């Protein structure tokens, strides 16, 4: 009898207890980011507490459905990799503008639905652009993703942006304690426990935070036991030209970010993303965004937070993340459970986030280690791309005097750095090289060699 074909780690199904633990770990890693978008948009529109709670539960429900579509997949929807889905921050500024001056929530949802349909239609086009993402570009993008997320972890560690006790030593001390617990478990615990080091760190940090007064469970008692999001709860969608155009720009940005995240997960899991699977993943993004517009929430994209968790834990099963999607669906249907998760203090998440986001950046460096930097301009490509990507992260107001469409694209360090890396790679490594290739008088090379750059990722590996 022939032996059964080995199962790729991405397709392995862990035991149920591991699925639950690993899945909950992914939920905790992305929960704060997931609920931040409806809180920001709803707060800017001065919605009532009941409407804000409705936005959050609707968001969690669609987050779960979107994650299941991306991980499990059906027909040509879903990349079938361990990818968590959540609301994109790239859409926050345009949505606040639309909601406060251009027609309210119905106008937001109309533009979101159009953007989702556009992503579905454009997905095959982006799939064919994969050849412009050699390791030089993908490594740079993954590095930018990780570094640009670190300020998020820093804000959490300090107590959460806007909190009254932001930067208090007790907050940073709690974050440091959680960080040390995560590192200790990962280094000294048995293999299974080391894979849920983040979950253990958050649980221990929460246990320590409660007696020291870091937590507030008041929202748990106020939350309903059951909440079901109905289509068009805030009214039928309306379609305004300016709102639709701004959201189409956001769609292009999120497609660029998702492409970087999908490639990063492909690198981490050992299942390289091909043009067809990239198109399937983007198509799932578009479907999720359409569902967001129908079920009272916002555009969806792959969450880079969880890319770092995959790399850190080395748990590559897509079914683990599918289990996380199931947990999110439950949180969306049971608001009281969601309120319990929301009570986890920001410093606890910050300590764990430092490890996860740093892991993403380190993964980018590992990919760049495959690239030849000798006698070519590849170092310039990386240097300028990282600089452009970090500019809006380090100076958030740098583009505030530019048009809205420009801010939408460039205020995201990930999309700004990704676009720069693609353009510079084309400029230095795809255009015809200069005729003279001999060294100049100062000893620097005159040509732009492209060894190891135009090769596919599979050939480099």
């Amino acid at each position: 009898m022939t032996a059964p074909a080995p199962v790729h780690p991405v397709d392995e199904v862990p035991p149920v207890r591991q699925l639950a633990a690993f899945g909950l770990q992914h939920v905790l890693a992305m929960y704060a980011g997931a609920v931040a978008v409806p809180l920001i948009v709803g707060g800017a529109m001065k919605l009532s507490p009941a409407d804000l709670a409705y936005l959050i539960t609707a968001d969690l429900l669609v987050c779960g459905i979107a994650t299941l579509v991306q991980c499990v997949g059906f027909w040509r929807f879903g990349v079938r990799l361990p990818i968590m889905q959540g609301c994109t921050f790239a859409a926050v500024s345009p949505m606040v503008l639309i909601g406060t001056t251009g027609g309210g929530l119905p106008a937001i949802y109309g533009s979101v639905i159009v953007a989702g349909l556009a992503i579905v239609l454009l997905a095959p086009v982006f799939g064919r652009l994969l050849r412009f993402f050699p390791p030089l570009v993908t490594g740079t993008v993954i590095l930018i993703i990780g570094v640009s997320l670190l300020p998020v972890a820093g804000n959490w560690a300090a107590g959460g942006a806007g909190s009254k006790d932001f930067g208090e030593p007790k907050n940073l001390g709690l974050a440091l304690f959680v960080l040390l617990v995560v590192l200790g478990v990962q280094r000294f615990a048995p293999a299974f426990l080391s894979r849920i080091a983040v979950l253990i760190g958050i649980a221990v940090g929460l246990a320590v935070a409660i007696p020291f007064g870091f937590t507030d469970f008041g929202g748990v008692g106020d939350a309903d036991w059951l909440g079901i999001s109905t289509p068009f709860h805030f009214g039928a969608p309306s379609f305004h030209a300016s709102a639709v155009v701004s959201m189409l720009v956001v769609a292009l940005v999120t497609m660029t970010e998702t492409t970087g995240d999908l490639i990063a997960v492909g690198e981490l899991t050992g299942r390289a993303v091909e043009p067809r699977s990239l198109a399937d993943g983007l198509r799932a993004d578009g479907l999720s965004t359409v569902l967001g517009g129908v079920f009272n929430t916002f555009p969806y994209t792959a969450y880079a937070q969880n890319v770092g968790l995959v790399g850190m834990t080395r748990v590559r099963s897509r079914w683990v993340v599918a289990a996380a999607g199931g947990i999110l669906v439950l949180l969306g249907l049971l608001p009281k459970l969601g309120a319990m998760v929301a009570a986890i203090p920001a410093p606890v998440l910050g300590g764990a986030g430092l490890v996860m986001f740093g892991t993403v950046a380190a993964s980018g460096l590992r990919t760049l280690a495959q690239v030849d930097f000798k006698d070519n301009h590849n170092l310039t490509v990386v240097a300028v791309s990282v600089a452009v990507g970090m500019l809006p992260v380090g100076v958030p107001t740098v583009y505030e005097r530019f048009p809205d469409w420009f801010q939408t694209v460039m205020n995201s360090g990930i999309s700004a750095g990704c676009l720069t890396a693609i353009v510079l790679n084309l400029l230095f490594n795809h255009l015809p090289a200069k005729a003279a290739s001999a060294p100049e008088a100062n000893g620097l090379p005159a040509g732009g060699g492209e060894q190891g750059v135009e090769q596919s990722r599979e050939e480099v590996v």
Side-chain angles (χ1 to χ4, degrees), residues 133-136 138-139 142 267-268 363-373 376 378 451-453 455-461:
F133 287 85
L136 174 65
T138 59
I142 297 169
E267 299 275 359
L268 291 171
S363 300
L365 294 176
R366 183 176 61 184
T367 301
L368 287 173
Q370 306 169 10
V371 177
D372 179 17
F373 287 101
N376 55 41
N378 291 342
Q451 298 138 331
V453 178
Q455 293 173 279
S456 67
R457 290 188 305 283
E458 295 79 9
E459 289 172 330
V460 172
V461 173

Side-chain angles (χ1 to χ4, degrees), residues 108-355:
I108 291 177
Y109 295 140
S111 62
V112 167
I113 291 171
V114 173
L117 294 173
I119 293 173
V120 172
L121 295 175
L122 291 174
V125 177
F126 260 71
R128 287 194 288 270
L129 297 178
L130 192 59
R131 64 193 182 94
F132 296 116
F133 287 85
L136 174 65
V137 174
T138 59
T140 303
V141 172
I142 297 169
L143 174 61
I144 292 170
I145 290 172
V147 176
S148 64
L149 284 171
L150 287 173
V152 176
N155 279 321
W156 288 346
S163 63
K164 295 179 180 178
D165 60 349
F166 185 85
E168 288 282 347
K170 64 175 185 177
N171 293 335
L172 295 171
L174 179 59
L176 176 61
F177 172 73
V178 173
L179 174 61
L180 293 175
V181 171
V182 172
L183 294 176
V185 171
Q186 198 169 20
R187 174 63 180 85
F188 299 107
F192 169 70
L193 291 179
S194 69
R195 292 178 177 176
I196 56 171
V198 170
L199 179 60
I200 293 174
I202 291 174
V204 173
L206 180 60
V208 171
I210 291 174
F212 284 95
F214 282 91
T215 54
D216 179 11
F217 290 100
V220 178
D222 298 334
D224 296 328
W225 280 105
L226 182 65
I228 300 176
S229 180
T230 55
F232 307 126
H233 173 79
F234 295 99
S238 58
F239 302 92
H240 300 252
S242 58
V244 168
V245 170
S246 64
M247 204 56 66
L248 287 175
V249 175
V250 170
L252 294 175
V253 173
T254 58
M255 291 179 79
T256 304
E257 292 182 350
T258 297
T259 298
D261 291 333
L262 296 185
I263 291 172
V265 171
E267 299 275 359
L268 291 171
T269 59
R271 176 175 283 179
V273 174
E274 304 294 338
R276 173 168 174 152
S277 56
L278 174 59
D280 292 347
L282 293 172
R283 201 176 282 112
D285 259 15
L287 175 62
S288 303
T289 298
V290 172
L291 289 176
V294 173
F295 286 94
N296 319 294
T297 179
F298 308 115
Y300 284 84
T301 187
Y303 257 27
Q305 292 96 311
N306 299 84
V307 175
L309 190 56
V310 171
M312 177 188 160
T313 62
R314 298 185 296 280
V315 177
R316 296 179 280 177
S317 171
R318 61 190 173 106
W319 298 104
V320 163
V321 181
I327 294 172
L328 285 172
V329 170
L330 282 177
L331 293 177
L333 295 174
L334 302 173
K336 201 170 284 289
L337 286 180
M340 291 179 64
V341 176
I344 297 175
V348 173
L349 297 174
L354 288 171
V355 185

